[in-house]
Amino acid sequence: MSTDKTLLITGVSSGLGRALAQQALAAGHRVVGTVRDERARTAFEALAPGAATGRLLDVTDDAAVAGVVAGIEADIGPIDVLVNNAGYGHEGVMEESPLREMRRQFDVNVFGAVAMMKAVLPAMRARRRGHILNITSMGGYITMPGIAYYCGSKFALEGISEALGKEVRPLGIAVTAVAPGSFRTDWAGRSMVRTPRAIADYDALFDPVRKAREEKSGKQLGDPAKAARAMLAAIDSANPPAHLLLGSDGLALVRGKLADLAGEIDAWEEVSRSTDG
């Protein structure tokens, strides 16, 4: 980034959030990272004493979010960039997965992100500047069996990001939905919540998918440090994108999905048009 900025990154203890924090700190910027416990805060602040500041926050605690954001603005200064990185993946066949797991998935991945956006927007709007990055996923464009709740949450965050961007662009605020492909993070490892299998009819479809995901964990093509540098480039851009795909696998899969969708729309165009009055 061309000028020093203050970034607020949720879920900064690991994954892409940690990688982005490290790259931003190395470039001389201030980073406030949300963590879940004191041990994680101490470890984060040790990365760059004086420039890295940890704040304890569960993004699903609506009452706490506004207070933490207000405290950052008062104690550290204006938040230039919000990065909604906090989130996790749920794996499970939809019929087998309890609704409480879906509610939890959306509480963290969608409602938590929206709460953070609503908390930073008043000050960004008053200053007529700011940038929000929402970390979504290629799973916000494409779907795979066994992660219906996760894909649903990321589809939702993609749509919310795009609509919000149109609302706040005239006020000098940019919104970018960042959709990573497969990266070497803990997403498919210890961070994944898995619903136990129960229905044999899904074995042939899903068991190979689960096994392949577990075997691939830690060996993905994507480099988190390079993803972080790409996000910093988007933040520094005078015309940041509304959507940013990261990773060649995500690029190929999303392009394939869009081509398939265009083909299906064309195939059913006559039926679509037949509903006009």
Side-chain angles (χ1 to χ4, degrees):
M1 288 179 282
S2 56
T3 58
D4 291 353
K5 293 181 184 291
T6 297
L7 282 69
L8 170 56
I9 306 174
T10 64
V12 80
S13 295
S14 62
L16 293 180
R18 186 59 154 233
L20 177 57
Q22 289 172 320
Q23 291 293 321
L25 290 166
H29 306 288
R30 295 169 298 279
V31 178
V32 183
T34 72
V35 295
R36 298 294 296 274
D37 56 56
E38 285 290 351
R39 182 177 179 181
R41 175 158 69 177
T42 299
F44 175 65
E45 292 181 345
L47 293 177
T53 304
R55 287 287 188 270
L56 298 181
L57 180 66
D58 177 350
V59 296
T60 67
D61 185 348
D62 295 343
V65 167
V68 168
V69 168
I72 294 167
E73 290 268 345
D75 300 338
I76 297 173
I79 297 167
D80 299 299
V81 182
L82 166 67
V83 183
N84 270 315
N85 170 72
Y88 73 97
H90 171 271
E91 183 190 77
V93 172
M94 194 186 77
E95 187 180 352
E96 296 177 335
S97 302
L99 276 176
R100 66 177 179 274
E101 295 290 355
M102 181 177 184
R103 290 190 177 98
R104 175 62 180 165
Q105 182 80 109
F106 274 66
D107 275 346
V108 176
N109 291 5
V110 182
F111 288 95
V114 170
M116 293 298 302
M117 287 186 270
K118 289 173 73 67
V120 302
L121 277 171
M124 286 185 175
R125 180 165 45 80
R127 291 189 290 266
R128 289 299 195 263
R129 60 181 172 83
H131 196 164
I132 295 170
L133 272 71
N134 291 322
I135 309 301
T136 63
S137 170
M138 65 178 177
Y141 292 87
I142 66 166
T143 59
M144 289 170 278
I147 53 171
Y149 291 173
Y150 177 75
C151 288
S153 73
K154 294 304 186 179
F155 266 72
L157 192 54
E158 280 281 337
I160 291 166
S161 298
E162 184 176 295
L164 175 64
K166 293 174 180 178
E167 292 172 354
V168 299
R169 184 179 303 154
L171 306 175
I173 304 166
V175 181
T176 300
V178 179
S182 298
F183 279 78
R184 294 188 294 276
T185 68
D186 291 330
W187 180 82
R190 66 178 180 84
S191 295
M192 179 76 76
V193 173
R194 292 179 165 88
T195 292
R197 294 299 323 287
I199 303 173
D201 284 342
Y202 294 110
D203 289 355
L205 172 69
F206 182 59
D207 285 356
V209 173
R210 171 172 279 180
K211 182 179 179 182
R213 186 175 291 124
E214 290 173 343
E215 291 177 347
K216 188 179 179 183
S217 181
K219 305 172 186 174
Q220 295 93 332
L221 182 63
D223 180 342
K226 291 182 178 180
R229 290 195 285 273
M231 286 187 273
L232 291 178
I235 292 168
D236 195 35
S237 173
N239 186 28
H243 300 276
L244 176 63
L245 283 164
L246 297 179
S248 59
D249 59 341
L251 195 63
L253 288 167
V254 171
R255 278 179 168 159
K257 162 67 179 288
L258 294 176
D260 290 344
L261 180 60
E264 190 169 74
I265 289 171
D266 290 345
W268 286 84
E269 181 175 356
E270 185 175 345
V271 174
S272 298
R273 292 186 180 279
S274 72
T275 60
D276 290 350

